[in-house]
Amino acid sequence: MAMTKAEERARVKALVVDRLEQAGMVRRRGTAAAAHEAAMARLCEQLGYMGAENLMTLAEVLIDSAADGIWPSEVLIRQFARAIEEPPPAERRLVSSWLASVEGPKAEAGGHLVELYRWLLKHPRPPLAMDLREIRDQAQDNARRCELIRDRIDRETASREDRDWLELYLRDRAQARALVDAGRGRKEGAAA
C-alpha cells in the first residue's frame, strides 16, 4: 500500500532526523534554529522515496561519518542518500520537469523519448546541443534494434538477451510517456 507524502515525511523524520538528534547531533555553529528546521523539513520531503531499511542505514552512516557530532550539510546527506538508494525517475525533478515540459512531447514526436529519458537519468543536467545529437543517434540505433528483435520474435529466433533488452526498452518508454502525459495533464488542468 502506497504511503501518502505526509506519511513519507513522518517516516524520514522518525528514522533519520529524530535518530540523529537522539545520537546527539547538534546544528552547525552560526546556523539559526529556523534555518536548521527548514533544512530538516526539506530533507524529510526529498528523502520520502527511500525505504525504511535504507533510511535506517542512512542514519547510521551519518552518525558514523560525523565524528564531531555536528549535523552534516544538506548536500552531503542527499549524496549519501542517493548512494544508498537512487530516487525513482518521477522523484527526480530534472527528469520529471524536463519531460513534462515542451521537450518531452517534442522528443516523443522526434522518436528519441526513451533515449532522452535515459540520458536525463544518467546526467544531472539538461542536455546540450551536442548531447541531443548523441541522443538522436542512439535513438536511430535503438529503433533499428527494436525492429530487428521484433522480427526475431516473429520468426521465433530471439534470444533471451534480445527479449530482455526489448522489455527494458519498452518499460523505459512507458515510464517516460507517463511523465510526458503527467505534464500534458497539468497543462490541460491549468488551461481549464
Side-chain angles (χ1 to χ4, degrees):
M1 188 164 137
M3 298 179 84
T4 66
K5 286 290 187 184
E7 291 169 330
E8 288 176 354
R9 286 190 298 269
R11 183 179 61 189
V12 175
K13 182 171 182 339
L15 298 177
V16 178
V17 176
D18 292 350
R19 174 67 185 103
L20 270 61
E21 287 174 353
Q22 291 164 359
M25 289 276 192
V26 294
R27 70 177 187 265
R28 291 187 182 282
R29 185 180 305 178
T31 301
H36 179 75
E37 290 303 316
M40 296 304 103
R42 283 191 303 275
L43 285 171
C44 289
E45 183 73 32
Q46 294 160 351
L47 303 181
Y49 69 89
M50 295 182 76
E53 287 294 320
N54 287 338
L55 287 168
M56 289 186 284
T57 300
L58 175 63
E60 294 307 314
V61 166
L62 293 170
I63 290 167
D64 292 344
S65 66
D68 56 3
I70 296 175
W71 272 90
S73 70
E74 185 177 346
V75 171
L76 185 63
I77 294 171
R78 289 179 66 181
Q79 287 173 346
F80 276 131
R82 285 190 73 141
I84 293 169
E85 182 180 342
E86 282 285 334
E91 296 282 330
R92 297 182 195 180
R93 190 176 304 275
L94 174 66
V95 177
S96 60
S97 68
W98 194 265
L99 294 182
S101 75
V102 296
E103 298 301 326
K106 195 176 355 176
E108 189 172 26
H112 59 274
L113 179 62
V114 173
E115 293 71 21
L116 176 61
Y117 169 77
R118 288 175 170 177
W119 193 93
L120 289 168
L121 287 175
K122 187 175 179 181
H123 302 88
R125 64 174 175 79
L128 304 172
M130 65 181 198
D131 301 320
L132 288 172
R133 281 192 298 277
E134 180 183 314
I135 289 167
R136 288 187 187 105
D137 289 347
Q138 184 66 52
Q140 289 176 347
D141 292 345
N142 287 344
R144 283 190 290 275
R145 188 169 182 184
C146 284
E147 190 176 317
L148 179 65
I149 292 172
R150 285 188 174 117
D151 182 55
R152 288 178 184 162
I153 290 171
D154 290 344
R155 291 184 291 120
E156 297 181 6
T157 60
S159 68
R160 181 78 251 153
E161 181 183 330
D162 285 340
R163 291 175 187 277
D164 290 346
W165 185 91
L166 184 59
E167 183 180 320
L168 178 60
Y169 187 85
L170 295 176
R171 188 187 75 217
D172 286 352
R173 184 173 69 186
Q175 290 176 343
R177 282 185 173 162
L179 294 172
V180 171
D181 290 344
R184 284 186 183 124
R186 283 194 295 273
K187 289 175 191 151
E188 290 168 3

